[in-house]
Amino acid sequence: MAGADAETGTETVADTEASAEAESKAETEAGAEAVTNAGAEAAMEAEEQGYYRQLWVEEPATRRRLPDPVRASAVRAVIIIAVTLIQAMVAFLCTLAGSWLAFPMVLSSVASTVVATWGALDVWVTRQVWNQRNGVVSVPSSTARALRRERRRARRQERASERTKERIRRQGGGAGQLSHS
């Protein structure tokens, strides 16, 4: 016993704390050294095998991303709803405090609630319109079928005119004039 009291044969509190501190410091240093060694070993293994473990791994999304108009509408609605909730809380606190600002805040909160409802409906309507225009073709009322049919027809006409121009160029149609016009 390094710090033992000679008469009682017991250690003092200060000696006990000092020895416990020294032991924990030694354990911490040994643990840090083991972690460093383990990290170095892992890095050496990765170098030997020719690959490194990526820090960030991309995972595929479980759901598709919202279309841009719908996403913009949703962001707008969330901001409006957040402002409305803050405004309602301020109106409530002003009412509790008996402030003169309570009545105008309550009126503006009612107006903001109407605007927030409009924002939520805007998200729903925008989503429905986008789905009808660009969405599932199998729905009978969908206008996407007609739009895609028109785009297909325009592409076919464009390809046909390109083929005709190319054919005329290959046949040597003179100075750029069409032979049949």
Side-chain angles (χ1 to χ4, degrees):
M1 290 185 181
D5 193 359
E7 295 173 6
T8 60
T10 60
E11 290 186 36
T12 60
V13 174
D15 291 335
T16 306
E17 287 177 357
S19 65
E21 194 174 300
E23 286 175 8
S24 69
K25 188 181 286 185
E27 288 173 2
T28 304
E29 288 173 1
E33 189 175 312
V35 168
T36 305
N37 289 341
E41 288 174 11
M44 292 294 288
E45 286 178 21
E47 285 180 18
E48 290 171 6
Q49 293 177 359
Y51 71 91
Y52 292 99
R53 195 178 122 236
Q54 290 181 345
L55 183 63
W56 185 270
V57 178
E58 292 275 338
E59 293 181 6
T62 55
R63 289 173 25 167
R64 290 187 326 167
R65 180 176 161 168
L66 282 175
D68 285 342
V70 178
R71 209 162 90 250
S73 175
V75 168
R76 187 170 46 245
V78 166
I79 291 172
I80 291 170
I81 290 170
V83 168
T84 301
L85 289 174
I86 291 170
Q87 205 169 8
M89 182 59 71
V90 169
F92 176 72
L93 293 175
C94 285
T95 303
L96 287 181
S99 172
W100 64 270
L101 194 58
F103 183 68
M105 287 302 291
V106 168
L107 289 179
S108 65
S109 291
V110 170
S112 290
T113 304
V114 171
V115 173
T117 305
W118 167 82
L121 285 174
D122 182 44
V123 173
W124 182 67
V125 168
T126 305
R127 184 172 169 271
Q128 295 297 327
V129 167
W130 193 91
N131 278 337
Q132 188 174 17
R133 288 186 185 158
N134 308 310
V136 183
V137 181
S138 62
V139 177
S141 65
S142 176
T143 57
R145 180 180 288 117
L147 288 172
R148 289 182 182 172
R149 194 178 298 134
E150 288 174 18
R151 285 189 210 124
R152 246 184 272 128
R153 189 177 301 129
R155 278 195 306 259
R156 269 191 226 119
Q157 287 176 350
E158 188 177 319
R159 281 192 304 248
S161 68
E162 288 292 323
R163 279 194 303 263
T164 306
K165 288 179 185 175
E166 186 63 32
R167 192 178 326 119
I168 292 171
R169 250 185 257 127
R170 271 187 277 140
Q171 292 174 353
Q177 293 181 350
L178 296 177
S179 60
H180 59 277
S181 56

